[in-house]
Every structure is written in structure tokens, then in C-alpha cells.
Amino acid sequence: MEETEEEKKDEADYKRLHSFPLIRHSDMPEEMRVETMELCVTACEKHATNNESAAKMIKETMDKKFGSSWHVVIGEGFGFEITHEVKNLLYMFFGGNLAVCVWKCS
């Protein structure tokens, strides 16, 4: 079934309204959190149609900047339970319904 023009417009308006990052939980230091959040937004915008590429970009950048063992999950409608190092977790939403979880585990 094809979407009507109005449905496409409503979806575009919804995504525009929710184009800011919403941090759900983070225990990172302020500077690291801001850098990670900006990286996540950049990756999600650059790879809007491919969450796997966005996650890979975030992981590789975090590994270079803050040491290895970073993990990234990006998607819609998922649940998780993780073990992570203290002060190394960011869980946020972007673009309305896209969730991004970044954590370090040694």
C-alpha cells in the first residue's frame, strides 16, 4: 500500500519536531557526554538509512578517542540489559523513534 502525500508530510513534520537529541540516561562526564551526543547525531544524520553504518562510525570514533571496547546499538523498538564500566554509558533518542545506546565494557 502506498503512502499518501499527507501521511508523508505528517511523518516529515514529526521527524522535524523531534530532530533534537533526547538523553534518556547517561553517567558520562559532561565533556564526554556532549562529544558522544554530537557524534551520535552526526552519524545518524549522515547514515539516515543505514543504522549499521552509523553504529560502526560511532564505535570506531569512540575507540580512537576514548580507548577500545566501546559498543553501540542503534534502532527502533529494542530492549537490552548490559554490563558497563561506570561513567561510560549514554542512552538517547534521536529523530523521534531512533534509540542510540553507547557503552564501554572491558
Side-chain angles (χ1 to χ4, degrees):
M1 187 165 22
E2 215 174 295
E3 282 185 299
T4 65
E5 280 296 314
E6 190 165 319
E7 287 173 340
K8 288 179 182 178
K9 184 179 180 291
D10 288 344
E11 184 178 339
D13 288 343
Y14 178 78
K15 287 188 175 183
R16 187 171 31 257
L17 279 172
H18 295 88
S19 63
F20 61 93
L22 175 65
I23 294 179
R24 183 77 173 127
H25 178 77
S26 177
D27 64 357
M28 290 180 171
E30 177 73 22
E31 188 176 313
M32 182 188 278
R33 183 176 69 234
V34 170
E35 284 184 47
T36 305
M37 182 182 63
E38 289 173 356
L39 173 62
C40 291
V41 169
T42 302
C44 289
E45 286 176 344
K46 183 176 180 181
H47 302 283
T49 58
N50 190 343
N51 292 343
E52 187 176 343
S53 294
K56 186 175 183 179
M57 178 182 167
I58 294 167
K59 185 215 179 331
E60 289 173 352
T61 305
M62 293 297 287
D63 282 348
K64 287 178 191 169
K65 203 167 215 171
F66 301 109
S68 62
S69 300
W70 285 92
H71 305 275
V72 181
V73 174
I74 300 176
E76 300 175 16
F78 64 87
F80 61 91
E81 186 173 322
I82 60 171
T83 303
H84 67 92
E85 287 184 11
V86 177
K87 298 188 185 252
N88 286 293
L89 171 71
L90 174 71
Y91 179 49
M92 63 180 268
F93 292 100
F94 180 71
N97 56 353
L98 191 65
V100 181
C101 186
V102 182
W103 74 97
K104 185 174 185 178
C105 185
S106 51

